[in-house]
């Protein structure tokens, strides 16, 4: 019988940057999607405190990442990056020490080119000194962007990214290396050798259609990821109140609670880094509940380190640009991820129309997963709903969602072989 093979990530040698980090997808928070350039010491420390107070830190969230705009406009007289003294009056090392005392880690942002995306000094030509500076401050994570290299010079950046990887290794400090070159130049082919994660697409923003287009862009990439090196479909938009690309003039496009559950289910099954974007100090309870679901996070953090893949997708009717143009349409999809110990996780999503979850053209759908082709055991699986925490029973041959799944919603289950 034809069986799905999910062993690539396990068999592939671990080739990542030599820092021993990210054996499971990194978990943390980043300032960009909610706060844009409004970063400061007080913002970062208050988000860190909230990470502890909300219980997220105890669940494994650890990186608190300052994105763009922390820098002064100019390097110092020794050619070193320096923080903006108004935003960070005590410097970055103070923030790092404070986070470390809280049991957390500090992430920071720079750019492989001469300027960051917001026009601050980039690291081009200064990779060694910048790696040293970050290490001396106690930084634990570097997001390395790609503005003003591919735009101005339009060339393959892999040598530059490799130079920074070498520079980080040379410091001797384990610094998680997160490459952010938007999926250009097929980073999954070369970044696993030199980094812990690499962006696979342009920026996410809090809109369901954008989230799903990024999911589609992950097709075919599972085999490149594994412990120490991960595909990065960008940050988690659950609870983020923001705009397209964080451009102030654009309208907010926030995602709903059920879209957020689908998004978080997919990031977990795709073994994406779980880097939250919402304001942790004022997060609504529903958003915190989603990102705190320990059983869903256990799928993300499963030690086998496989990446889930789409195993079934079905559409009916005619959709143009994600809008149904016939009387009724449906669009369902099933993702499957192998877990340690022979178990599996599945996400069964009713994708509906791209833009309107309550569109009359889309209705709740029963979604089915063929169990006959997975696993090596008896073919019997105990199925548990990870969002409701309900044991749904023992299934053989096929699992069908007990109820219709609403458009833009997902059911996520764990399948334990018996
Ligand atoms: C790029 C990145 C974003 C963010 C901004 C900051 O667009 O892709 O994630 O870091 O730059 O300027």
């Amino acid at each position: 019988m034809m069986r799905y093979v999910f062993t690539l990530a396990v068999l592939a040698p671990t080739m990542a940057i030599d820092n021993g980090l990210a054996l499971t997808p990194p978990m943390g928070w980043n300032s960009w999607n909610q706060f844009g350039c409004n970063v400061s010491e007080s913002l970062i420390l208050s988000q860190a405190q909230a990470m502890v107070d909300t219980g997220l830190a105890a669940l494994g969230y650890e990186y608190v990442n300052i994105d763009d705009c922390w820098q002064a406009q100019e390097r110092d007289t020794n050619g070193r990056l320096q923080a903006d003294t108004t935003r960070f009056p005590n410097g970055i090392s103070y923030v790092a020490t404070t986070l470390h005392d809280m049991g957390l880690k500090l992430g920071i942002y720079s750019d492989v080119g001469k300027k960051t995306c917001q026009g601050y000094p980039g690291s081009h030509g200064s990779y060694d000194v910048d790696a040293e500076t970050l290490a001396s401050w106690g930084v634990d994570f570097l997001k390395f962007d790609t503005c003003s290299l591919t735009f101005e010079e339009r060339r393959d950046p892999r040598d530059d990214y490799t130079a920074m990887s070498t520079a980080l290794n040379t410091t001797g400090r384990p610094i998680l290396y997160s490459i952010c070159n938007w999926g250009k130049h097929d980073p999954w082919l070369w970044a696993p050798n030199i980094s812990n994660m690499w962006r696979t697409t342009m920026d996410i923003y809090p809109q369901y259609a954008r989230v799903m287009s990024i999911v589609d862009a992950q097709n075919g990439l599972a085999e490149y990821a594994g412990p120490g090196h991960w595909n990065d479909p960008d940050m988690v938009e659950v609870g983020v109140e923001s705009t397209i690309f964080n451009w102030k003039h654009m309208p907010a496009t926030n995602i709903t609670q059920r879209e957020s559950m689908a998004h978080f289910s997919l990031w977990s099954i795709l073994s994406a880094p779980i880097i939250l974007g919402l304001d942790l100090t004022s997060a609504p309870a529903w958003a915190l509940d989603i990102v705190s679901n320990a059983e869903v996070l256990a799928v993300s953090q499963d030690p086998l380190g496989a990446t889930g893949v789409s195993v079934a997708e079905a559409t009916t009717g005619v959709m143009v640009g994600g809008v149904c143009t016939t009387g009724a349409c449906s669009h369902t999809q099933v993702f499957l991820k192998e877990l340690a110990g022979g178990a599996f996780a599945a996400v069964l999503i009713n994708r509906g129309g791209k833009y309107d979850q309550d569109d009359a053209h889309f209705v709740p759908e029963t979604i089915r997963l063929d169990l006959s082709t997975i696993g090596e055991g008896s073919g019997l699986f105990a199925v548990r709903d990870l969002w409701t925490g309900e044991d749904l029973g023992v299934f053989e041959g096929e699992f069908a969602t007990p109820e219709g799944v609403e458009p833009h919603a997902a059911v996520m289950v764990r399948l334990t072989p018996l």
Side-chain angles (χ1 to χ4, degrees):
M1 185 192 300
M2 177 63 189
R3 289 185 182 270
Y4 292 108
V5 177
F6 292 98
T7 48
L8 270 169
V10 189
L11 295 179
T14 300
M15 304 176 295
I17 184 172
D18 184 22
N19 59 18
L21 298 173
L23 296 181
T24 58
M27 293 171 62
W29 176 92
N30 173 292
S31 56
W32 180 252
N33 285 353
Q34 184 67 65
F35 296 99
C37 268
N38 291 324
V39 291
S40 64
E41 176 185 300
S42 62
L43 175 85
I44 298 305
L45 295 186
S46 63
Q47 294 296 318
Q49 190 59 52
M51 189 180 273
V52 173
D53 294 345
T54 53
L56 291 172
L59 284 164
Y61 290 90
E62 58 177 344
Y63 292 102
V64 179
N65 295 351
I66 315 172
D67 208 278
D68 208 348
C69 307
W70 61 270
Q71 313 88 331
Q73 289 290 353
E74 303 293 339
R75 288 173 176 270
D76 72 11
T77 48
N78 297 315
R80 291 183 177 262
L81 287 174
Q82 52 185 346
D84 178 301
T85 51
T86 309
R87 295 179 186 280
F88 292 92
N90 298 297
I92 300 299
S93 59
Y94 170 77
V95 180
T97 305
T98 310
L99 292 189
H100 294 160
D101 289 347
M102 298 166 82
L104 301 173
K105 293 181 172 169
L106 175 65
I108 211 161
Y109 163 104
S110 190
D111 192 291
V112 74
K114 295 184 186 71
K115 295 265 182 210
T116 72
C117 295
Q118 303 304 316
Y120 291 89
S123 291
H124 198 254
S126 304
Y127 300 138
D128 292 341
V129 68
D130 287 1
E132 250 173 56
T133 303
L134 301 187
S136 74
W137 288 341
V139 166
D140 305 293
F141 180 121
L142 172 64
K143 172 176 173 179
F144 214 41
D145 213 339
T146 204
C147 272
S148 83
L149 183 68
T150 45
F151 279 160
E152 285 172 19
E153 301 179 9
R154 298 197 182 277
R155 60 185 169 82
D156 189 333
R158 85 179 68 184
D159 290 347
D160 302 275
Y161 278 108
T162 303
M164 189 47 146
S165 175
T166 307
L168 290 171
N169 271 339
T170 304
T171 67
R173 182 177 177 81
I175 298 178
L176 195 153
Y177 187 33
S178 162
I179 287 179
C180 176
N181 86 318
W182 312 328
K184 296 188 185 302
H185 300 282
D186 299 342
W188 41 86
L189 295 181
W190 47 270
N193 293 314
I194 60 162
S195 72
N196 301 108
M197 53 193 266
W198 52 90
R199 279 272 296 277
T200 54
T201 65
M202 273 299 295
D203 292 13
I204 199 168
Y205 41 82
Q207 182 203 44
Y208 173 76
R210 179 64 186 145
V211 170
M212 294 313 297
S213 73
I214 288 179
V215 168
D216 289 337
Q218 307 313 301
N219 282 340
L221 301 186
E223 66 182 280
Y224 302 107
H229 51 287
W230 305 101
N231 289 303
D232 175 14
D234 209 355
M235 294 172 277
V236 171
E237 295 290 358
V238 175
V240 174
E241 296 177 14
S242 169
T243 60
I244 294 174
F245 292 126
N246 226 328
W247 291 335
K248 300 281 168 284
H249 56 284
M250 300 299 284
T253 54
N254 306 340
I255 56 178
T256 65
Q257 181 172 357
R258 73 185 190 222
E259 291 168 344
S260 296
M261 291 167 80
H263 172 26
F264 203 68
S265 303
L266 288 163
W267 259 233
S268 296
I269 207 155
L270 290 170
S271 300
I274 303 287
I275 307 294
L276 306 177
L278 76 175
D279 180 352
L280 298 176
T281 64
S282 65
W286 65 262
L288 275 181
D289 281 351
I290 291 173
V291 302
S292 302
N293 184 309
E295 294 191 64
V296 173
L297 286 171
V299 172
S300 149
Q301 299 296 303
D302 182 78
L304 185 64
T307 290
V309 295
S310 172
V311 292
E313 185 168 10
T315 55
T316 58
V318 178
M319 276 184 270
V320 178
V323 176
C324 183
T325 60
T326 46
C329 291
S330 72
H331 185 179
T332 60
Q333 193 168 12
V334 181
F335 291 81
L336 195 63
K337 172 177 174 176
E338 186 177 3
L339 306 176
F344 290 86
V347 171
L348 302 96
I349 179 169
N350 179 359
R351 295 182 57 151
K354 272 189 183 163
Y355 301 103
D356 184 357
Q357 62 180 317
D358 295 321
D359 189 324
H361 293 301
F362 296 91
V363 296
E365 301 282 348
T366 298
I367 311 177
R368 295 166 197 283
L369 164 62
D370 180 2
L371 298 176
S372 66
T373 56
I374 64 171
E376 299 292 338
S378 64
L380 292 173
F381 288 92
V383 180
R384 182 171 168 84
D385 185 318
L386 301 185
W387 286 114
T388 63
E390 204 183 331
D391 289 322
L392 300 177
V394 175
F395 292 77
E396 182 175 23
E398 179 186 86
F399 167 72
T401 56
E403 289 166 12
V405 182
E406 298 283 338
H408 293 204
V411 165
M412 185 167 189
V413 292
R414 180 186 159 94
L415 309 147
T416 307
L418 296 176

